[in-house]
Amino acid sequence: MRFRGRAKNGTQPSDAAPPPAEPIGPAPVLVIDALGRKCPIPIIMLAERIREVPVGEIVAVLADDAAARTDVPAWCRMKSQDFVREETLQQGGWGFHIRRTY
């Protein structure tokens, strides 16, 4: 039995477009753009602005300094905030999602 859109060997045809990426988790309420800034500036920006979102909501920090990959999760642990996830940005750098807990 063959399904429409599949080649005989069960793979997708080469001209088929990949499915659109599904967002993972809730969308951030606030996005802090710290691209091009060296640590600790992304952490300082996060600390200054996290109170702008309601408790339980997500803040995203965009950063391209490699130190942010360790500094943001460490800051979350020190401040008892939830580090939700890290994503790689197409333009370079990372997006760090943090849930405000208090």
Side-chain angles (χ1 to χ4, degrees), residues 43 71-81 102:
I43 300 299
D71 289 353
V72 172
W75 181 88
C76 290
R77 286 189 301 274
M78 285 184 354
K79 298 297 184 178
S80 299
Q81 303 294 343
Y102 63 91

Side-chain angles (χ1 to χ4, degrees), residues 35-58:
L35 293 169
R37 308 225 179 170
K38 299 292 181 193
C39 275
I41 299 303
I43 300 299
I44 292 169
M45 293 171 77
L46 172 61
E48 289 175 344
R49 299 199 58 202
I50 195 165
R51 290 178 296 282
E52 294 176 22
V53 302
V55 171
E57 295 296 334
I58 302 292

Side-chain angles (χ1 to χ4, degrees), residues 46 58-59 61 68-77 80-87 94-101:
L46 172 61
I58 302 292
V59 176
V61 177
R69 296 186 77 191
T70 55
D71 289 353
V72 172
W75 181 88
C76 290
R77 286 189 301 274
S80 299
Q81 303 294 343
D82 288 339
F83 181 76
V84 177
R85 66 185 171 94
E86 171 188 315
E87 65 183 1
W94 303 273
F96 305 98
H97 291 234
I98 300 101
R99 178 175 288 111
R100 183 178 175 198
T101 60

